[in-house]
């Protein structure tokens, strides 16, 4: 007979297990089964067929959409890390303690508006009549407006604006917990400021970097709104192709197969982040 402590423990975790089962395990199982089904005209035929995966990896435009999503996501993640780390460093070590809350509040302000509003704001900034083109023309740098909107550059710019603040928060949380004595001890032992950062601070802030990078990867690779508004239809990403399959062709099996591939990429990113964190502890 189960002990009362065991029964009480299962009672505490049961809501979380039921939530995960209802909103992740069951939908994922249905999507996986759907990816193995086929279409006969408009009729869905359940079964075990790899036709959708064969089509996905056999047709260049479908595979290209997955590759574009991966390229944009990796670019956004790397650029966001490069921009977020100095910003988190400045807030943690250069901004007086009494002003740090205000600095963090200003950092998270972009999250108070929706994706759609921020994307359309960037579309106005990057348009041919936008602030950037008008400034460059006014300074005499260019004579004709540049095509900045509806390009991969616009998509990456919008994503970086969204996610650099997310990474700043995760890295700041690590930096603020790092005792200043660690850096002082390294300098007292003869290390330069760069060597103290490279061998002491950076390894100890790897958890914040990896966590923020993983969140950025997950949110970026599955985003449909930003590429649709800022990237236009010149270079379709995986989520855009999925929406096309669902909206125009009602091809749920192929859309499910593409979703499974995107989830596999997210799983690989998670395994890489986990391995990175384990190596950082060595």
């Amino acid at each position: 007979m189960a002990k009362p402590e065991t029964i009480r423990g299962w009672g505490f975790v049961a809501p979380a297990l039921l939530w995960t089962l209802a909103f992740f395990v069951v939908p994922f199982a249905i999507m996986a089964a759907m990816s193995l089904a086929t279409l006969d005209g408009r009729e869905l035929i359940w079964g075990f067929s790899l036709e959708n995966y064969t089509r996905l990896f056999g047709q260049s435009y479908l595979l290209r959409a997955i590759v574009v999503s991966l390229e944009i996501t990796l670019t956004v993640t790397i650029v966001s890390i490069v921009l977020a780390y100095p910003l988190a460093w400045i807030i943690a070590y250069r901004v007086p303690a009494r002003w740090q809350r205000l600095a963090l509040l200003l950092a998270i302000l972009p999250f108070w508006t929706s994706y759609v509003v921020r994307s359309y704001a960037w579309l106005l900034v990057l348009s041919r009549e936008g602030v950037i083109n008008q400034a460059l023309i006014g300074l005499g740098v260019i004579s004709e407006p540049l095509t900045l909107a509806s390009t991969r550059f616009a998509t990456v710019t919008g994503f970086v604006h969204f996610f650099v603040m997310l990474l700043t928060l995760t890295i700041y949380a690590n930096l603020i917990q790092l005792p200043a004595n660690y850096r002082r001890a390294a300098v007292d032992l003869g290390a330069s400021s760069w060597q103290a950062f490279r061998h002491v601070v950076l390894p100890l802030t790897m958890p914040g970097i990896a966590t923020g990078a993983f969140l950025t990867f997950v949110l970026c690779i599955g985003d449909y709104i930003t590429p649709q508004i800022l990237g236009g239809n010149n270079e379709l990403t995986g989520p855009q192709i999925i929406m096309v399959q669902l909206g125009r062709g009602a091809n749920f099996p192929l859309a499910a197969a593409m979703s499974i591939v995107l989830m596999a990429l997210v799983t690989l990113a998670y395994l890489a982040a986990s391995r990175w964190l384990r190596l950082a502890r060595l």
Side-chain angles (χ1 to χ4, degrees):
M1 184 176 179
K3 296 180 179 179
E5 293 81 5
T6 304
I7 297 175
R8 194 179 303 116
W10 278 107
F12 280 118
V13 302
L17 289 176
L18 290 174
W19 182 276
T20 304
L21 184 67
F23 295 102
F24 178 73
V25 177
V26 172
F28 178 79
I30 294 175
M31 186 173 66
M34 180 73 73
S35 71
L36 300 174
T38 56
L39 279 181
D40 184 7
R42 289 284 183 177
E43 184 180 356
L44 182 65
I45 300 175
W46 294 95
F48 185 85
S49 171
L50 297 178
E51 177 183 335
N52 298 305
Y53 293 96
T54 304
R55 183 181 173 189
L56 172 58
F57 291 102
Q59 296 194 0
S60 60
Y61 79 97
L62 295 175
L63 190 59
R64 177 62 185 163
I66 299 294
V67 173
V68 168
S69 290
L70 195 57
E71 290 175 350
I72 291 176
T73 301
L74 291 176
T75 304
V76 169
T77 304
I78 293 172
V79 174
S80 297
I81 292 174
V82 172
L83 295 178
Y85 204 104
L87 181 57
W89 180 280
I90 291 172
I91 295 176
Y93 296 134
R94 300 304 180 193
V95 175
R98 65 179 183 277
W99 295 111
Q100 286 188 6
R101 288 187 177 180
L102 177 61
L104 290 173
L105 179 64
L106 294 174
I108 63 174
L109 271 181
F111 292 106
W112 291 11
T113 56
S114 72
Y115 264 29
V116 177
V117 173
R118 285 179 288 179
S119 297
Y120 276 113
W122 271 110
L123 186 63
L124 295 176
V125 171
L126 298 174
S127 66
R128 293 178 68 84
E129 295 79 22
V131 176
I132 294 179
N133 272 317
Q134 293 300 318
L136 293 176
I137 292 175
L139 293 172
V141 178
I142 57 176
S143 58
E144 295 291 333
L146 300 175
T147 303
L148 300 176
S150 300
T151 63
R152 182 183 294 198
F153 170 78
T155 303
V156 171
T157 301
F159 273 136
V160 168
H161 173 234
F162 305 155
F163 297 124
V164 72
M165 298 309 171
L166 178 64
L167 270 155
T168 299
L169 294 179
T170 59
I171 296 172
Y172 169 83
N174 261 191
L175 285 173
I176 203 66
Q177 296 177 7
L178 188 64
N181 290 337
Y182 287 8
R183 285 184 294 142
R184 296 192 191 116
V187 173
D188 289 343
L189 292 173
S192 63
S193 298
W194 166 250
Q195 289 173 326
F197 170 77
R198 170 69 180 82
H199 297 290
V200 178
V201 178
L202 186 59
L204 292 175
T205 52
M206 278 299 179
I209 298 174
T211 302
F214 175 68
L215 292 175
T216 300
F217 189 95
V218 172
L219 295 173
C220 186
I221 200 167
D223 189 271
Y224 163 77
I225 298 174
T226 302
Q228 183 68 22
I229 295 176
L230 292 176
N233 293 319
N234 296 325
E235 194 177 44
L236 295 181
T237 62
Q240 286 177 290
I241 290 289
I242 291 173
M243 291 302 295
V244 169
Q245 297 300 326
L246 293 175
R248 298 180 184 176
N251 195 340
F252 288 88
L254 181 57
M258 293 193 68
S259 301
I260 292 291
V261 171
L262 290 180
M263 289 195 67
L265 292 175
V266 171
T267 303
L268 290 176
Y270 169 76
L271 294 175
S274 301
R275 182 178 177 80
W276 191 16
L277 288 176
R278 284 197 295 270
L279 290 175
R281 295 195 189 101
L282 296 177

